[in-house]
Amino acid sequence: MKKEFLSAFHRIFDRVEAHDPNLSPSDYVILRQIFLVLSITAWETCSSTECNTYYHKALECARITTTPENEDLPGLQSLLLTCLYLQLTRKHDEWIQTCGQVVRLAQSLGLHRHSRRFRFCAGEMELRKRIWWCVYAVDIACSIVHGLPKMIQDDDVDTDLPIDTDLDDATATDIPLPLPGETTSMATFILYVKLLRIFSSCLKSLYTTTKRRNGVAKITALDHELSVWRHSVVQFQGNEMKDHDDGLPDTLHMNSADQSFETLFLHFLGNVAVILIHQPALTFDPKHPQFMKSLSRCVRAALNILSMLGSSHDDRRLHCLFPNKSSIVFQSTLLCFYHQWMCMASSLTPSHNLDPLMGRIVDTALKLLDMHKAELVTPDTSSNTTIDVQTISAAQNLVRLFSNRIEHAGDAPVSTVPASSMTQTPPSSFIFTPPAGLGSHEPLRFERESQMSTIPLDFGILEDGFLDNGWL
């Protein structure tokens, strides 16, 4: 809350000016938050030395603070900021551990329970709801990025969504509401929370160790839920929806030049959700009706993701927030390759004519991966970051390899690689071999098969030629 934070900030500043070293434990908690905000800001401006310096000062404040002072709402807010810092700086092991502390502390404070169970004032109840959904976001992000089970089970949560209002005082007894038709900055956060709940349902329905039957029905239900969310985003923006000639609605429709980072981030995550929902269907038999439908949705979302990352390459927040850029770039590019391979190998009618776009898709992916690798290389590069850089380099080699094999698919002889030899071949020398029967098809010619051969592909979010940016 702005009022409490500024009051504590001025109190600390006055004591520092008066050379008064007697700061209370609660002051050290606020000081820790300040240092964490400074470290995140320094990361955003590519000042790695300052970023680490501020973070170490925050750790010193945490060590000075007594344990009971860390087990309240300000202490939980400090841990949330720590999670964000660890996520941005790719300190994976620490992020996972801190995420677990955040969830357990939030649950011990009862933030996951409905407000009717407590007797707090209206301002504090609203603050508790907002903090809880930040905790929820951290748990979902950690689960998806690291492939771990969620700690928060939706069946145990009955907390309401935050109220769309500006609130600066946690001691307020009445909450002012906006006039009809007006929204506040909380409206975007509420849309974000609703999308997170779709992510959570997807993880529970499609990615748990058990209970993964009835995949088509689950995918259809989740896709409908995401469509409802998408309409609420468009309604919030005041834009009109449109359908494409291929019968598929826009995954997310926007004019990126007029959008704030928050709205762009929602669109980005919406496309990630499309891939997360439909990707399990790619394990079905290619003749299954859901296979091509889901492949089409995945390809459109992948193109949207590459488009957004390519057009906002100077915004580090979009690149490194959930999920990290390098993994989603590689996955999106691989989906485009997979579309081409499956259509050639299984004689499927392509859902999109990607033939004239593959070169630019590959160039964009390699540029984005190069940029991310350059961002990770700093004078104080850690061992974890070194592994990340090597992983990105391996992804780039695979993209080049797949692109080369696609280009020469019709000329190269078809052969198979035994499974035993694949495990013995190093990644740098491994050559991808297309599925059997690929050589019987003409290389990358879909014009005679595809009904979309004369229709340019609309990426749904930007104007045509989204890959023809000056930075390429």
Side-chain angles (χ1 to χ4, degrees), residues 425-447:
T425 307
S428 58
S429 61
F430 173 68
I431 300 179
F432 174 82
T433 303
L438 185 61
S440 61
H441 297 273
E442 296 184 15
L444 291 176
R445 291 187 59 186
F446 299 126
E447 288 82 357

Side-chain angles (χ1 to χ4, degrees), residues 188 259-267 315-319 321:
T188 306
Q259 304 302 330
S260 64
F261 163 75
E262 290 77 11
T263 306
L264 180 64
F265 186 54
L266 286 178
H267 288 298
D315 195 329
R316 299 189 74 203
R317 295 174 297 174
L318 186 60
H319 289 182
L321 283 173

Side-chain angles (χ1 to χ4, degrees), residues 153-303:
Q153 301 302 319
D154 291 321
D155 294 340
D156 299 326
V157 179
D158 58 0
T159 301
D160 290 333
L161 292 176
I163 299 175
D164 183 10
T165 184
D166 291 322
L167 185 65
D168 295 331
D169 187 2
T171 62
T173 56
D174 295 317
I175 298 180
L177 299 177
L179 295 174
E182 293 184 354
T183 60
T184 67
S185 58
M186 283 303 299
T188 306
F189 181 71
I190 294 171
L191 289 171
Y192 175 51
V193 171
K194 291 179 178 179
L195 180 59
L196 289 174
R197 299 181 78 168
I198 297 176
F199 273 110
S200 181
S201 299
C202 182
L203 291 174
K204 181 179 179 180
S205 300
L206 300 174
Y207 291 90
T208 50
T209 307
T210 57
K211 300 181 180 178
R212 289 181 292 182
R213 296 184 181 276
N214 302 318
V216 175
K218 292 177 179 178
I219 290 172
T220 302
L222 287 167
D223 191 64
H224 175 72
E225 194 174 347
L226 184 63
S227 178
V228 172
W229 176 84
R230 176 173 55 88
H231 278 278
S232 64
V233 173
V234 174
Q235 186 177 9
F236 170 71
Q237 293 178 263
N239 294 337
E240 294 183 357
M241 297 297 296
K242 67 175 183 178
D243 287 339
H244 289 282
D245 293 330
D246 58 3
L248 290 173
D250 280 330
T251 302
L252 287 163
H253 178 66
M254 63 176 290
N255 181 2
S256 64
D258 302 328
Q259 304 302 330
S260 64
F261 163 75
E262 290 77 11
T263 306
L264 180 64
F265 186 54
L266 286 178
H267 288 298
F268 177 74
L269 287 186
N271 282 279
V272 174
V274 171
I275 292 179
L276 198 68
I277 291 171
H278 286 276
Q279 200 166 231
L282 303 188
T283 63
F284 296 174
D285 188 292
K287 297 179 181 179
H288 194 288
Q290 185 64 41
F291 177 86
M292 205 61 197
K293 185 186 301 183
S294 289
L295 180 58
S296 175
R297 297 278 284 159
C298 285
V299 168
R300 182 182 293 284
L303 294 173

Side-chain angles (χ1 to χ4, degrees), residues 11 23 44 190 225 266 334 361-362 408 420 430 444 468:
R11 183 177 64 253
L23 295 178
E44 222 177 296
I190 294 171
E225 194 174 347
L266 286 178
L334 195 60
I361 290 172
V362 170
H408 300 89
S420 58
F430 173 68
L444 291 176
D468 297 326

Side-chain angles (χ1 to χ4, degrees), residues 111-127:
L111 301 187
H112 63 299
R113 301 314 307 270
H114 196 277
S115 58
R116 64 175 175 267
R117 297 182 176 273
F118 306 97
R119 294 184 178 179
F120 297 112
C121 65
E124 187 165 359
M125 284 308 313
E126 182 62 20
L127 172 61

